Amino acid sequence: MLDVHRLRVFRSVVASGSVQAAAANLGYTPSAISQHLTALQRETGLTLLARAGRGLRPTAAGHALAAEADRVLARIGAAESLIADLRTGRTGALSIAYFASVGAAWMPLVVRRILTELPGVRLDLELREHIPDSREERADVQVVVAGNGFDPGSGFTTHHLLDDPYVAVLPTGHRLAGQEEVDLADLADERWVDNDFARGWCRANLIEACTAAGFSPAFRVEAHDYPTALAFVAAGIGLTVLPALGAAHLPDGVTRVRVVRPTPIRSIHVVVHDAVEHTPAVRTAVAALWEAANSASEQ
């Protein structure tokens, strides 16, 4: 079995580039560092470091082990933080991942509720558009956009939160701005502002709806995100079509109109790690997300 302390020493040598620097950083003698490195190479049966001038550089095997050591030490650090939380009476940690428009519209209220009801919880929030392939990298709770028949993977449960219809956001002086709804086909000849540089599921959903309406939008401007696209619309450059949640907070000078025939819709789900599903923090987070989704559906 690998010695974790030796992994820490090895990682310090790789990061600093020499035994002497690692010794200074860790407060050890150079001979103690060398002994740990020798023991680690003996344990692994691998040559992990090679001389490079007056310093050391990792071999190919050393690079691979250093990358894995980062993941191992991160997990150990998380476990140590959890132990510290429990020892001091805090109720543990909760990791939540979410995509950008949910972050702006829902997460402040969700976080406020969690910290109000469970002030001892330590929150780890991450902006993430996709679900990681590795189970170890996944959050306790993640808000995602997914299609019908979505499978969250073994050990995880998904709950549908909201169907989020798309809207057209137009300058207030636009010829269609006063209408309650607009056929998607009526926007075909307009100047479009793209709002999804990542070319993700939400954009693909929009393009599919436009294809069903008989056209392909001609994007004149490509923006990286919803707020930037909305700013372009406010400047009178064109229109953008995006999920209603992304248009929850509009700048001055624009208005939104429902898109129909067809109406693109994205489905928002919350994915929960089964191992922590019944903890107070996760139950509170999911309840807060349900409340936010219900409020959004009533608007």
Side-chain angles (χ1 to χ4, degrees):
M1 181 180 294
L2 289 177
D3 185 292
V4 173
H5 181 62
R6 288 172 186 157
L7 278 180
R8 293 186 194 274
V9 171
F10 166 68
R11 195 63 192 85
S12 179
V13 172
V14 171
S16 56
S18 73
V19 167
Q20 289 75 15
N25 292 336
L26 296 176
Y28 293 163
T29 64
S31 62
I33 297 293
S34 296
Q35 289 172 14
H36 282 302
L37 293 177
T38 299
L40 180 61
Q41 293 189 109
R42 186 173 58 250
E43 286 178 348
T44 61
L46 298 169
T47 300
L48 301 173
L49 297 162
R51 289 286 176 189
R54 295 185 177 182
L56 294 171
R57 59 173 177 79
T59 63
H63 275 297
L65 182 60
E68 187 61 31
D70 286 340
R71 290 187 283 271
V72 170
L73 295 175
R75 296 295 294 175
I76 291 173
E80 289 173 343
S81 294
L82 174 61
I83 291 169
D85 287 342
L86 296 174
R87 185 182 295 124
T88 56
R90 293 191 291 270
T91 53
L94 172 67
S95 58
I96 305 177
Y98 53 90
F99 56 91
S101 52
V102 159
W106 293 358
M107 291 310 299
L109 298 177
V110 170
V111 169
R112 183 177 67 183
R113 176 166 174 180
I114 293 170
L115 294 182
T116 298
E117 297 185 14
L118 301 166
V121 168
R122 179 169 52 85
L123 288 177
D124 177 12
L125 305 179
E126 181 177 1
L127 185 64
R128 180 182 288 170
E129 297 291 334
H130 305 288
I131 298 178
D133 294 330
S134 170
R135 291 168 55 90
E136 288 72 22
E137 296 178 11
R138 294 176 65 167
D140 298 325
V141 174
Q142 182 170 356
V143 186
V144 301
V145 173
N148 294 331
F150 168 57
D151 180 5
S154 176
F156 295 84
T157 300
T158 182
H159 305 280
H160 176 261
L161 291 175
L162 178 70
D163 284 332
D164 191 17
Y166 287 49
V167 297
V169 179
L170 314 162
T172 51
H174 192 277
R175 62 184 178 85
L176 300 173
Q179 300 184 191
E180 291 188 3
E181 61 183 40
V182 59
D183 284 9
L184 186 56
D186 289 342
L187 305 177
D189 296 328
E190 297 289 334
R191 289 186 299 180
W192 285 59
V193 177
D194 198 356
N195 53 52
D196 188 353
F197 180 77
R199 302 294 188 267
W201 192 94
C202 295
R203 186 182 190 274
N205 192 34
L206 172 61
I207 298 301
E208 183 176 347
C210 291
T211 301
F215 73 99
S216 178
F219 294 109
R220 302 293 184 88
V221 177
E222 293 190 359
H224 285 214
D225 52 39
Y226 294 163
T228 305
L230 294 174
F232 285 133
V233 176
I237 293 171
L239 63 82
T240 195
V241 178
L242 72 169
L245 194 61
H249 304 290
L250 294 177
D252 292 338
V254 305
T255 188
R256 71 182 198 177
V257 178
R258 293 197 308 270
V259 172
V260 296
R261 289 180 288 276
T263 301
I265 295 175
R266 69 174 179 179
S267 292
I268 300 176
H269 304 253
V270 58
V271 177
V272 180
H273 198 306
D274 292 345
V276 293
E277 181 179 12
H278 300 295
T279 62
V282 169
R283 289 202 305 266
T284 301
V286 172
L289 287 167
W290 276 114
E291 183 177 330
N294 289 334
S295 296
S297 66
E298 294 171 356
Q299 293 178 356

